[in-house]
Amino acid sequence: MKTKLLAILAAGAFAFTACSDDEPVKPTPGGKAELKGNISANTTLDANVEYTLSGTVLVNSGATLTIPAGTTIKAAANGTDIYILVEKGGKLIADGTASKPIVFTSNAASPKQGDWGGIILNGKAPLSRKEGAVSDAGTEINNKIKFGGDDVNDNSGILNYVKIEYTGARIDQKAEHNGLTLNGVGKGTKLSNIYLTYGDDDAIEFFGGTVDATNILVVNCTDDMFDFSQGYRGTITNAYGIREAKYLPVTEDPRGVEADGNLDGETPTDINQSDFTINGITIINNAPGADANLTMHDVFKIRRGAKATIKNAYAKFGAGTTVVDLIDLTDSKGAGHSGTSIEYTIDPANGLDKGKIKNDVNATITKKDGLKGADASAFSWTGYKF
């Protein structure tokens, strides 16, 4: 049935039907529950229940999944089909607090990056597209599930004081999960105080949309820390990304920030290409590596028609790291937009002062003294030791 949602784990498992509007899911005697299937009615979880995400959860259009502060959801470490996806028209309300964050993690005894998929929000906000074309696209992991539209202020819910870890299961060489994927998400959505750690692909990626985000901490992802594509037009405030010295897994081209104007550079004449702002960002790479094991190809890669305004940026590389590009606006599928503006300060140690700046489009690149980047005190709730 469309309304099947949960199988409750008690003495034996049995099917559970989605609740009526805003009725909370009742705890079992053992205080455990299994999450999987479609959510087609408003449903509220219980912070006193230990949840296992054992399959795909789809929050259908018109339904809201509410996760109270202090809730922990442990995803089965089974890979690509373990994820939560909010369809456009649906909502996820995950409104934690500093003292009671909401945690999405792996149930493995020894968890690692790639244990499960991640969280995906699909909205109705605009995407890059051909002139006159419909603002509509298929979700990377399932092309039948669409996102995008023309509602700049679309609301997909709230993510606040949320921790997401051990994500990024790979489907194949062209499709993979990120920690948090934002597909055409609108400005009515609230994204703040999010901690993403141990992701096997990008930590957070924006495919189009207009949603703003504040206080985003990324620790140890295999590919890009912050990724923007397909016409993203929002503002990121206070973003901090760090790769620790012992985190060595890499993709072909891990980056601090990667930005494409259109999807994969395949449609360079699109309208509504990415044009976004970052106010306060820190990128730190402490992991050694070179050649095929290079742990950061570019600190900032702005390409394929993307226009970025990056203010108050700070970058630092640790001992033993290899520096290639500090800022790169070049690409075989199209350069970054000439209207790009980046102001930055670096710690010159360990060769970062020799990092290349590739700026054939004459964008405004300004080196300044004394910029501090992100305010790390905003992440004290995570317990991370900077």
Side-chain angles (χ1 to χ4, degrees):
M1 292 177 61
K2 187 177 181 182
T3 56
K4 181 183 285 187
L5 168 61
L6 304 174
I8 303 299
L9 302 176
F14 57 91
F16 183 86
T17 304
C19 305
S20 60
D21 285 4
D22 297 319
E23 179 183 347
V25 176
K26 296 179 180 179
T28 65
K32 297 182 179 181
E34 184 179 342
L35 293 174
K36 61 181 178 180
N38 289 293
I39 297 177
S40 56
N42 293 348
T43 302
T44 301
L45 303 187
D46 186 331
N48 297 310
V49 173
E50 180 181 309
Y51 292 97
T52 298
L53 180 64
S54 59
T56 301
V57 168
L58 297 178
V59 182
N60 302 148
S61 179
T64 298
L65 172 61
T66 300
I67 303 177
T71 302
T72 296
I73 296 175
K74 296 182 178 180
N78 295 332
T80 60
D81 63 344
I82 311 296
Y83 60 91
I84 296 174
L85 188 153
V86 180
E87 297 176 351
K88 61 179 184 176
K91 290 183 181 180
L92 173 61
I93 306 296
D95 195 5
T97 67
S99 60
K100 293 183 178 180
I102 294 165
V103 179
F104 298 89
T105 189
S106 168
N107 74 346
S110 299
K112 64 183 185 306
Q113 66 276 5
D115 272 354
W116 63 291
I119 297 175
I120 303 164
L121 301 185
N122 282 8
K124 301 177 182 179
L127 314 174
S128 62
R129 61 198 181 278
K130 294 290 187 181
E131 182 77 51
V134 176
S135 181
D136 183 73
T139 304
E140 183 175 23
I141 62 162
N142 185 340
N143 275 306
K144 295 180 180 179
I145 301 177
K146 302 298 183 181
F147 65 91
D150 57 7
D151 186 354
V152 172
N153 296 310
D154 186 44
N155 183 355
S156 295
I158 299 171
L159 270 71
N160 184 37
Y161 290 106
V162 170
K163 182 178 181 180
I164 304 170
E165 56 186 8
Y166 306 113
T167 57
R170 290 183 172 272
I171 298 168
D172 54 39
Q173 290 301 311
K174 294 185 178 180
E176 65 283 316
H177 288 276
N178 304 304
L180 178 59
T181 303
L182 303 156
N183 293 323
V185 176
K187 280 192 181 296
T189 308
K190 181 180 179 181
L191 297 177
S192 53
N193 303 304
I194 298 174
Y195 179 24
L196 300 133
T197 183
Y198 292 100
D200 204 31
D201 196 68
D202 300 332
I204 183 169
E205 184 161 11
F206 299 77
F207 290 91
T210 54
V211 64
D212 300 326
T214 302
N215 296 339
I216 311 298
L217 173 61
V218 171
V219 178
N220 295 339
C221 68
T222 303
D223 196 28
D224 306 320
M225 295 173 174
F226 305 93
D227 199 338
F228 309 93
S229 184
Q230 208 168 353
Y232 173 64
R233 295 189 162 214
T235 297
I236 310 301
T237 302
N238 208 54
Y240 198 116
I242 182 169
R243 181 188 276 261
E244 296 175 322
K246 294 182 179 180
Y247 190 76
L248 301 178
V250 296
T251 58
E252 291 182 358
D253 49 11
R255 296 176 169 122
V257 171
E258 180 181 280
D260 290 5
N262 56 85
L263 183 61
D264 297 330
E266 298 297 331
T267 52
T269 61
D270 275 3
I271 62 170
N272 201 72
Q273 297 205 41
S274 298
D275 183 354
F276 63 94
T277 297
I278 300 177
N279 290 320
I281 184 169
T282 295
I283 302 293
I284 295 179
N285 179 29
N286 287 326
D291 301 322
N293 297 312
L294 189 62
T295 53
M296 186 168 289
H297 282 240
D298 313 273
V299 179
F300 299 103
K301 178 78 169 183
I302 313 298
R303 62 184 184 179
R304 301 172 180 175
K307 179 183 176 184
T309 301
I310 301 177
K311 305 174 183 179
N312 186 23
Y314 177 81
K316 180 180 180 180
F317 275 38
T321 55
T322 301
V323 178
V324 180
D325 296 333
L326 176 60
I327 300 170
D328 185 4
L329 280 83
T330 66
D331 188 79
S332 62
K333 291 186 177 181
H337 194 284
S338 62
T340 291
S341 174
I342 302 174
E343 59 175 34
Y344 70 95
T345 295
I346 61 168
D347 183 327
N350 303 308
L352 191 53
D353 58 336
K354 303 296 192 298
K356 298 176 184 176
I357 297 178
K358 299 176 180 177
N359 180 21
D360 294 347
V361 296
N362 294 317
T364 303
I365 310 298
T366 307
K367 182 180 180 181
K368 294 187 173 183
D369 294 329
L371 299 179
K372 302 297 184 183
D375 177 5
S377 69
F379 307 113
S380 60
W381 65 274
T382 68
Y384 184 75
K385 303 299 182 184
F386 291 91

